[in-house]
């Protein structure tokens, strides 16, 4: 059974999708093509209490990492990219090329970009932390404005953590 719910966030509505035990998708709905739940999915807000709580803490600048059960499906390359994304620190950015080097595929920056774009669990798997060469703000499924908001939130929260 696929369960889902929606929650409000500073980025607009977020669609949370899972199987009751693990999160399988987190989609920003304020994007060009929002994800609509098919009729066979069942709305189960209580199944996502931990996700909602941790996202609330993240958006309040009180959480720098997530402790959630995830159920990722993808190619071995995508899974490796998503794992490496989880290693990019809170408030930090990394270029697609640098992530490609870190996973041992230095000539695969475009493939890293494609895998990053296919990330089904945005924010929790921090695809917003990847930037173009020289730090250029490049595509993000929720829009470059959303990417900027997330990076600004993390930079601001990280600086208050360090000074507090």
């Amino acid at each position: 059974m696929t369960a889902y719910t929606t929650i409000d966030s500073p980025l607009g509505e977020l669609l949370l999708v899972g199987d009751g035990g693990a999160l399988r998708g987190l989609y920003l709905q304020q994007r060009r093509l929002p994800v609509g739940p098919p009729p066979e999915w069942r709305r189960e807000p209580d199944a996502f209490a931990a996700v909602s709580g941790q996202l609330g803490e993240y958006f309040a600048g009180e959480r720098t990492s997530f402790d959630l059960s995830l159920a990722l499906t993808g190619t071995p390359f995508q899974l490796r990219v998503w794992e490496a994304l989880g290693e990019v620190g809170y408030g930090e950015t990394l270029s697609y090329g640098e992530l490609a080097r870190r996973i041992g595929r230095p000539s695969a920056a475009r493939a890293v970009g494609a895998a990053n774009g296919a990330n089904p669990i945005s924010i929790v798997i921090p695809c917003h932390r990847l930037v173009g060469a020289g730090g250029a703000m490049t595509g993000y499924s929720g829009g470059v404005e959303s990417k900027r908001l997330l990076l600004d939130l993390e930079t601001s929260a990280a600086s208050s953590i360090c000074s507090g």
Side-chain angles (χ1 to χ4, degrees):
M1 187 247 346
T2 299
Y4 78 95
T5 196
T6 56
I7 61 170
D8 291 326
S9 82
L11 303 173
E13 185 178 71
L14 302 177
L15 173 68
L16 309 177
V17 180
D19 62 10
L23 184 66
R24 288 194 341 229
L26 191 164
Y27 304 100
L28 286 73
Q29 294 299 83
Q30 302 296 330
R31 59 192 222 173
R32 194 168 32 97
L33 297 171
V35 176
E40 66 270 14
W41 290 8
R42 191 167 56 202
R43 184 178 284 274
E44 296 280 343
D46 294 340
F48 298 96
V51 179
S52 297
Q54 289 187 33
L55 284 167
E57 293 167 356
Y58 170 82
F59 286 120
E62 300 165 353
R63 175 173 287 278
T64 61
S65 63
F66 294 92
D67 182 22
L68 298 167
S69 179
L70 306 180
L72 291 166
T73 53
T75 68
F77 181 79
Q78 287 172 327
L79 293 170
R80 178 64 191 112
V81 168
W82 300 336
E83 178 185 347
L85 280 170
E87 297 165 5
V88 179
Y90 181 85
E92 297 176 13
T93 58
L94 196 67
S95 73
Y96 296 93
E98 179 56 29
L99 189 67
R101 284 187 284 286
R102 286 188 182 184
I103 65 169
R105 302 279 304 274
S107 63
R110 285 186 177 202
V112 163
N116 191 52
N119 173 16
I121 306 178
S122 62
I123 305 169
V124 173
I125 297 175
C127 52
H128 59 277
R129 295 181 189 156
L130 284 190
V131 296
M137 281 294 125
T138 56
Y140 184 64
S141 66
V144 174
E145 315 78 38
S146 294
K147 183 175 194 164
R148 172 53 55 206
L149 186 146
L150 291 169
L151 292 173
D152 288 349
L153 177 142
E154 290 184 7
T155 302
S156 173
S159 65
S160 24
I161 290 169
C162 291
S163 65

